[in-house]
Amino acid sequence: MNGKLFLCATPIGNLEDITLRVLRTLKEADLIAAEDTRNSIRLLNHFEIRTPMTSYHEYNKIEKARTLIEKMQSGMNIALITDAGTPGISDPGEELVRMCYEAGIEVTSLPGPAACVTALTLSGLPTRRFAFEAFLPMEKKERREILEELVNETRTIILYEAPHKLIRTLKDLREVLGNRRMTLCRELTKKHETAFRTTIDDLIAYYENEKPLGECVLVIEGKSRREIREEKAASWEEISLEEHMEIYEKQGLSRKDAMKQVAKDRGISKRDVYQQLI
């Protein structure tokens, strides 16, 4: 029978956050696949786990996944861990999971720490709906495209960033998204954990005199639907009512339906549209 892949969430800082189920699984597995074995050995030594370990990271994720799948097809159970947090969240684990399903290997996920959810609940911003973007790409064009996609995002936005890239990212956010309320979370679950409730502008000003330290999670408020409606209505005011009507009539809408759509775009009543047209 095939073995199984266990996605094991590990602490993002405080070692007490590991679950009993993850500890048992790491001890019972035939092999542990770790993103960075040098980092993970400290965790395993702390809990006196002697299970053999192998590396699985961004630069060997396809070739090594094939090897791991062969081992599971021979009956081995493999536990996958990342440097910190839940495997598959902004790390190469998602590739191994996909290939396991294609090969008919059973996969299970053992819940535990995740920096994005921890920061969201700590942020003081709306938590019901959120958009997780992890790390923004370094390539300038692709980075800009993603930020522009977020301009009218109504959900709370979550980003990861390294300290030495934080100021650049804040300036890019300010340029594309404008000034927003946000919470900067640093060193989550560790001794010097901070949740800095502020705005993008104030944070940029703060780091003019302070050196960014610690791994960061940026939690940024989404744009309100009301603001989006007002911006759309303002953009339609740049053309005349007759030109606005013509756009929809050329699309095949009846005069009545075109008036209804124009009224919706401009945030006014259909009666107002009718009266202005006549």
Side-chain angles (χ1 to χ4, degrees), residues 230-248:
E230 289 174 348
E231 288 177 355
K232 286 182 177 179
S235 68
W236 285 117
E237 290 175 3
E238 296 175 2
I239 63 173
S240 70
L241 208 62
E242 289 77 8
E243 291 171 326
H244 199 162
M245 284 287 295
E246 187 179 353
I247 290 172
Y248 289 117

Side-chain angles (χ1 to χ4, degrees), residues 108-128:
T108 189
S109 182
L110 283 60
C116 55
V117 175
T118 303
L120 177 65
T121 57
L122 189 62
S123 69
L125 292 170
T127 60
R128 189 174 66 86

Side-chain angles (χ1 to χ4, degrees), residues 47-248:
F47 290 106
E48 299 181 350
I49 296 169
R50 308 301 178 204
T51 307
M53 188 165 46
T54 188
S55 64
Y56 177 75
H57 49 71
E58 182 65 29
Y59 303 104
N60 71 355
K61 62 183 180 182
I62 301 298
E63 180 182 349
K64 191 59 172 284
R66 296 192 183 104
T67 301
L68 295 176
I69 286 171
E70 288 177 1
K71 293 181 181 297
M72 286 182 278
Q73 287 174 330
S74 71
M76 291 180 66
N77 289 321
I78 294 178
L80 178 68
I81 59 176
T82 183
D83 281 350
T86 300
I89 303 296
S90 188
D91 80 3
E94 63 178 328
E95 195 67 43
L96 178 58
V97 171
R98 180 186 64 80
M99 293 175 68
C100 279
Y101 278 116
E102 291 175 353
I105 301 294
E106 185 178 355
V107 179
T108 189
S109 182
L110 283 60
C116 55
V117 175
T118 303
L120 177 65
T121 57
L122 189 62
S123 69
L125 292 170
T127 60
R128 189 174 66 86
R129 301 168 60 251
F130 64 94
F132 175 58
E133 283 292 339
F135 291 93
L136 291 172
M138 291 301 298
E139 199 276 317
K140 191 173 181 179
K141 182 180 178 182
E142 185 182 3
R143 185 183 183 91
R144 180 82 183 195
E145 287 174 350
I146 288 177
L147 287 174
E148 288 177 349
E149 289 174 2
L150 295 174
V151 168
N152 289 323
E153 177 59 69
T154 59
R155 296 170 293 179
T156 300
I157 301 164
I158 306 174
L159 303 174
Y160 289 163
E161 194 51 277
H164 64 284
K165 299 176 184 176
L166 179 62
I167 295 174
R168 176 200 168 184
T169 294
L170 288 171
K171 290 181 177 179
D172 287 346
L173 289 169
R174 179 62 178 90
E175 180 183 352
V176 181
L177 303 185
N179 192 26
R180 301 272 185 100
R181 288 192 307 155
M182 65 166 292
T183 301
L184 176 69
C185 297
R186 298 175 51 256
E187 298 292 273
L188 288 169
T189 77
K190 300 177 184 176
K191 181 178 180 180
H192 298 293
E193 173 185 280
T194 57
F196 192 4
R197 294 196 66 194
T198 181
T199 65
I200 296 176
D201 278 353
D202 287 347
L203 204 53
I204 291 172
Y206 175 79
Y207 280 118
E208 287 178 355
N209 301 309
E210 297 289 337
K211 181 180 178 181
L213 297 172
E215 296 299 317
C216 302
V217 184
L218 288 68
V219 187
I220 307 156
E221 73 172 346
K223 181 177 284 188
S224 71
R225 288 190 174 88
R226 179 180 177 181
E227 188 178 357
I228 292 172
R229 288 195 298 268
E230 289 174 348
E231 288 177 355
K232 286 182 177 179
S235 68
W236 285 117
E237 290 175 3
E238 296 175 2
I239 63 173
S240 70
L241 208 62
E242 289 77 8
E243 291 171 326
H244 199 162
M245 284 287 295
E246 187 179 353
I247 290 172
Y248 289 117

